[in-house]
Amino acid sequence: MISTNFSNPLFPNGPTLQPECQVPFMAGCFSRLPSILYTPHTHSIGSLQSHRKWWTKTSPAWNKGRIHCATAPNEVLEAYSAQFSKDIQSFLDARAQEMVSGGLMTIIIPTIPNETPMSQSTFAAWVDFLGSCLLDMAKMGLVSEDKVDSFNLPIYPTSPKQLEALIERNGCFSVEGMETLDRPMNHDAAYKAKLFVSHMRAALDGPIRQHFGPEIVDKLFDRIAEKSAKSSIFINYNELAVDSLVILKRKLD
């Protein structure tokens, strides 16, 4: 079990993992892992995400009325991108200390296609959808508008091109392989909508509970379920979950 050194607030109730198994890192894992994981083949699988509070109301990157940078002004997008770059560097530096030269590491990370503006990605559609549900609740008086404005999803779907450039800049690893993982789902929109709700709750229950309070969680996801049943974005839901698999090799010291 790696609970003392491995912080994962998005999945506080997740299963215990054996050291040789895949390690999900969503909001933590930017420092060194326990020494038992210092093996030539360290498999770290999950989503790299920034998890810090970046903005105040006086900042040019204040993200009023939105919960993510996907359709926000450039100042917000740049703040997300800068934080993601810092997080990636911290993550790679920590893994480089743990791994022997020639060791392999596998990462699965959410991405959007190269040259595709985030605002035009299907990822933007679902974060806007989630944000609209929170704004609905603010209009109903169930949460404060300030709380919604100060909530920013700790997710940054990079492009394979940007990720490769960041790995090269770090200098500790070479990219041995990178490919997109296709996850086609031959189901109707209603099934995909239910799947979306379950995925969102599994991933975001922790941050939402921490930011808005536990009393709002069930009401929010009931609202999401109600709206998702009528939304057209789930016709192409399989496009919403695009991951890239990256195989890295530790360079010689």
Side-chain angles (χ1 to χ4, degrees), residues 2-10 24-30 33 51:
I2 47 177
S3 59
T4 55
N5 291 345
F6 180 73
S7 173
N8 196 348
L10 290 188
F25 52 90
M26 295 291 283
C29 207
F30 294 102
L33 293 174
H51 59 287

Side-chain angles (χ1 to χ4, degrees), residues 137-214:
M137 298 190 73
K139 293 175 183 177
M140 296 164 64
L142 298 175
V143 298
S144 72
E145 191 172 327
D146 282 346
K147 276 286 189 180
V148 178
D149 290 341
S150 61
F151 180 66
N152 290 281
L153 281 179
I155 305 170
Y156 181 83
T158 185
S159 67
K161 183 177 180 180
Q162 181 187 22
L163 179 60
E164 191 166 8
L166 291 172
I167 294 168
E168 183 177 348
R169 183 195 305 175
N170 177 264
C172 295
F173 296 90
S174 60
V175 178
E176 298 298 301
M178 181 182 295
E179 64 179 65
T180 299
L181 299 178
D182 295 324
R183 292 186 285 173
M185 293 188 298
N186 300 317
H187 302 288
D188 59 27
Y191 179 87
K192 294 175 184 177
K194 291 180 181 179
L195 192 63
F196 169 81
V197 176
S198 64
H199 283 180
M200 288 302 95
R201 180 141 199 177
L204 300 176
D205 184 282
I208 291 172
R209 186 179 299 271
Q210 183 178 20
H211 187 83
F212 294 99

Side-chain angles (χ1 to χ4, degrees), residues 4-249:
T4 55
N5 291 345
F6 180 73
S7 173
N8 196 348
L10 290 188
F11 296 110
N13 300 315
T16 299
L17 299 172
Q18 297 302 317
E20 68 272 19
C21 292
Q22 301 168 348
V23 179
F25 52 90
M26 295 291 283
C29 207
F30 294 102
S31 58
R32 294 181 65 175
L33 293 174
S35 58
I36 196 169
L37 294 178
Y38 294 6
T39 64
H41 302 275
T42 300
H43 299 275
S44 299
I45 297 186
S47 302
L48 285 177
Q49 301 182 43
S50 300
H51 59 287
R52 299 154 178 82
K53 294 180 180 179
W54 304 303
W55 307 286
T56 62
K57 287 185 178 181
T58 58
S59 168
W62 176 246
N63 202 18
K64 181 175 176 60
R66 303 177 185 85
I67 63 168
H68 194 265
C69 69
T71 56
N74 284 336
E75 291 85 355
V76 181
L77 181 60
E78 289 169 2
Y80 262 84
S81 180
Q83 186 62 60
F84 174 77
S85 297
K86 291 178 183 178
D87 286 352
I88 282 286
Q89 297 307 313
S90 296
F91 173 80
L92 293 175
D93 287 342
R95 302 293 79 75
Q97 294 180 54
E98 299 162 359
M99 296 175 63
V100 298
S101 298
L104 296 175
M105 174 169 64
T106 302
I107 300 173
I108 296 178
I109 186 168
T111 56
I112 57 176
N114 288 326
E115 314 305 332
T116 298
M118 194 179 298
S119 61
Q120 297 178 21
S121 68
T122 48
F123 173 82
W126 76 254
V127 293
D128 281 352
F129 176 82
L130 181 59
S132 73
C133 293
L134 282 166
L135 289 172
D136 288 346
M137 298 190 73
K139 293 175 183 177
M140 296 164 64
L142 298 175
V143 298
S144 72
E145 191 172 327
D146 282 346
K147 276 286 189 180
V148 178
D149 290 341
S150 61
F151 180 66
N152 290 281
L153 281 179
I155 305 170
Y156 181 83
T158 185
S159 67
K161 183 177 180 180
Q162 181 187 22
L163 179 60
E164 191 166 8
L166 291 172
I167 294 168
E168 183 177 348
R169 183 195 305 175
N170 177 264
C172 295
F173 296 90
S174 60
V175 178
E176 298 298 301
M178 181 182 295
E179 64 179 65
T180 299
L181 299 178
D182 295 324
R183 292 186 285 173
M185 293 188 298
N186 300 317
H187 302 288
D188 59 27
Y191 179 87
K192 294 175 184 177
K194 291 180 181 179
L195 192 63
F196 169 81
V197 176
S198 64
H199 283 180
M200 288 302 95
R201 180 141 199 177
L204 300 176
D205 184 282
I208 291 172
R209 186 179 299 271
Q210 183 178 20
H211 187 83
F212 294 99
E215 67 281 356
I216 204 66
V217 176
D218 288 340
K219 295 177 183 177
L220 172 61
F221 284 99
D222 286 345
R223 179 66 178 170
I224 293 172
E226 179 184 348
K227 289 191 69 171
S228 65
K230 305 173 184 177
S231 176
S232 62
I233 69 171
F234 299 100
I235 295 174
N236 296 315
Y237 177 78
N238 55 301
E239 298 177 10
L240 300 178
V242 179
D243 293 327
S244 287
L245 182 145
V246 188
I247 301 174
L248 302 181
K249 185 175 182 179

